[in-house]
Amino acid sequence: MIKTPYYLIDKSKLLRNMERIAYVREHSGAKALLALKCFATWSVFDLMSQYMDGTTSSSLNEVKLGKQKFGGETHAYSVAYGDDEIEEVLAHSDKVIFNTIGQLERFEQASASHVRGLRLNPGVSSSEFLIADPSRPFSRLGEWDAAKVEAVMDKISGFMIHNNCENSDFDLFDRMLGEIEDKFGGLLSRPQITWVSLGGGIHFTGEDYPVDRFCARLKAFSERFGVQVYLEPGEASITMSTSLEVTVLDTLFNGKQLAIVDSSIEAHMLDLLIYRETAKMAPNDGEHRYMVCGKSCLAGDIFGEFNFDRPLQVGDRLSFIDAAGYTMVKKNWFNGVQMPAIAVRELDGSVNLVRGFTFDDFVDSLS
């Protein structure tokens, strides 16, 4: 039995998402790039690369990881490239997407022989959180003035537009895409524009999502503007594929039944803290309710409240489901809490420990 805490990636569950992505690729004509900012655990790239076209990145390190470990197309994007990065970024990418006209012009000469794109900001998004809203007031993410973009059209062949955030509502996606068409249609229809990435944040692998309507909408957009459409699924690629396995270390009562486990949201599921959300657990319908807490010194280190079929005891193992997105890429050594190992359940059911972390890793992360 693997010592907790550890992330357990189940390839059979991952395969379900990959098959849905393959369906969308086939029926819409869109290409799919894994968004490494959400999930970059390359131990399962052998499976994912069979169903996806490549990767998209947010930094030099992600560009290199995608090129070396995933293969296929490699799209490079960053909010801002440094002078010391651009050469390596170009060497490891098929397309480079600049966030602003300023960056495009700054690196125009260096990228002259590269396929170049520019990020557009349509001013609308599906985000419920200001911190994650790419179209928030005074946003730095992309160009919003079509007239200014007109002046640099000779320098690019495509656009990236990322304004969906955890969007499981097809009608909302459809309406926002219509607004993009209205605002930027003149740019998109220019003959030199041959590709458009619609970014990630579209939960088309979720239950009951109208996939065929989604495919038809993507195909219509592609045909209207004569462009290759790209999608950048992050969460959609790995939803419900992974759990965080933990062990109960202590229980107590302080107005509520509490259980302390050998993990931490700040260190191992940071988005729960950032967005004030709770972890997920199934089943969650017993008569014994506990607040499950992390072991760090942060008072708000709480996974959430869950229902169990019996009282919890020290040594019990718990499993938080849907724990792949923005977890392994954000894990940290806060409080020196043990970094979760990473394990993979193969398609034949066997479980392999692919990475463990030690005290030496903690020491080497510091100075």
Side-chain angles (χ1 to χ4, degrees):
M1 185 175 291
I2 300 173
K3 186 180 185 302
T4 59
Y6 65 94
Y7 302 101
L8 177 60
I9 306 170
D10 190 327
K11 277 190 174 180
S12 65
K13 296 178 180 179
L14 184 62
L15 180 61
R16 181 256 179 204
N17 297 323
M18 294 297 101
E19 290 174 341
R20 178 66 64 89
I21 289 172
Y23 183 92
V24 169
R25 289 169 67 207
E26 178 183 356
H27 291 85
S28 71
K31 293 186 177 183
L33 307 173
L34 174 63
L36 295 173
K37 66 180 181 180
C38 174
F39 182 81
T41 306
W42 50 267
S43 295
V44 292
F45 284 0
D46 59 333
L47 174 64
M48 302 179 81
S49 61
Q50 298 177 49
Y51 295 87
M52 303 183 74
D53 296 283
T55 58
T56 184
S57 59
S58 299
S59 65
L60 171 59
N61 284 336
E62 286 185 355
V63 173
K64 294 170 69 174
L65 179 70
K67 186 72 170 182
Q68 295 175 14
K69 296 293 188 180
F70 199 99
E73 290 192 47
T74 306
H75 288 206
Y77 166 77
S78 176
V79 173
Y81 295 110
D83 291 340
D84 60 334
E85 297 178 314
I86 194 65
E87 184 176 342
E88 274 197 282
V89 167
L90 296 171
H92 288 85
S93 63
D94 302 295
K95 291 181 176 66
V96 61
I97 301 165
F98 293 103
N99 184 61
T100 64
I101 292 172
Q103 283 263 300
L104 171 63
E105 293 180 334
R106 179 176 180 178
F107 297 115
E108 179 181 357
Q109 184 174 352
S111 62
S113 61
H114 218 67
V115 178
R116 295 183 295 211
L118 183 67
R119 180 169 183 171
L120 298 179
N121 190 328
V124 294
S125 87
S126 65
S127 177
E128 298 179 358
F129 303 98
L130 182 63
I131 192 174
D133 186 351
S135 297
R136 61 187 285 159
F138 317 112
S139 175
R140 73 198 194 285
L141 301 175
E143 295 285 352
W144 58 271
D145 190 334
K148 289 183 178 179
V149 177
E150 283 280 3
V152 296
M153 290 293 287
D154 61 325
K155 298 177 175 61
I156 59 176
S157 63
F159 293 112
M160 188 266 275
I161 307 167
H162 173 50
N163 67 328
N164 286 279
C165 303
E166 299 188 3
N167 185 8
S168 59
D169 183 342
F170 169 76
D171 291 328
L172 176 58
F173 166 80
D174 182 31
R175 289 196 304 272
M176 291 198 305
L177 188 56
E179 293 187 47
I180 289 169
E181 291 170 323
D182 291 341
K183 182 169 186 176
F184 295 124
L187 301 177
L188 298 171
S189 60
R190 294 284 288 273
Q192 68 266 45
I193 300 302
T194 59
W195 57 275
V196 174
S197 172
L198 296 178
I202 311 165
H203 279 203
F204 61 89
T205 58
E207 294 294 335
D208 301 322
Y209 192 88
V211 177
D212 290 322
R213 291 176 64 197
F214 180 58
C215 291
R217 186 65 173 94
L218 294 175
K219 190 172 184 179
F221 178 88
S222 174
E223 291 176 348
R224 175 180 176 182
F225 296 107
V227 294
Q228 172 64 60
V229 171
Y230 286 90
L231 301 173
E232 301 179 2
E235 288 273 10
S237 300
I238 45 79
T239 184
M240 298 303 294
S241 69
T242 300
S243 60
L244 174 61
E245 305 293 318
V246 302
T247 297
V248 176
L249 301 179
D250 195 11
T251 62
L252 64 154
F253 180 81
N254 189 8
K256 291 183 177 181
Q257 294 290 350
L258 309 180
I260 301 171
V261 299
D262 57 352
S263 182
S264 162
I265 65 168
E266 185 165 16
H268 307 153
M269 297 188 79
L270 186 57
D271 273 11
L272 298 184
L273 185 64
I274 294 173
Y275 298 111
R276 302 295 192 268
E277 296 181 327
T278 62
K280 301 174 185 177
M281 188 176 291
N284 182 22
D285 54 7
E287 297 179 357
H288 302 275
R289 189 167 181 83
Y290 283 78
M291 178 184 289
V292 180
C293 310
K295 67 175 294 183
S296 81
C297 66
L298 179 70
D301 192 353
I302 300 168
F303 286 91
E305 296 189 27
F306 308 96
N307 299 301
F308 301 90
D309 59 4
R310 61 179 178 79
L312 293 181
Q313 298 180 350
V314 172
D316 285 345
R317 290 206 170 197
L318 308 181
S319 180
F320 298 112
I321 63 173
D322 201 15
Y326 298 97
T327 54
M328 285 168 271
V329 295
K330 290 189 176 185
K331 64 187 184 302
N332 61 71
W333 286 105
F334 176 65
N335 265 197
V337 175
Q338 179 60 41
M339 188 83 75
I342 300 174
V344 175
R345 178 175 285 122
E346 303 291 345
L347 294 176
D348 64 5
S350 62
V351 176
N352 296 319
L353 179 64
V354 296
R355 178 65 199 270
F357 298 91
T358 67
F359 171 71
D360 289 338
D361 295 308
F362 171 58
V363 172
D364 290 343
S365 70
L366 302 167
S367 61

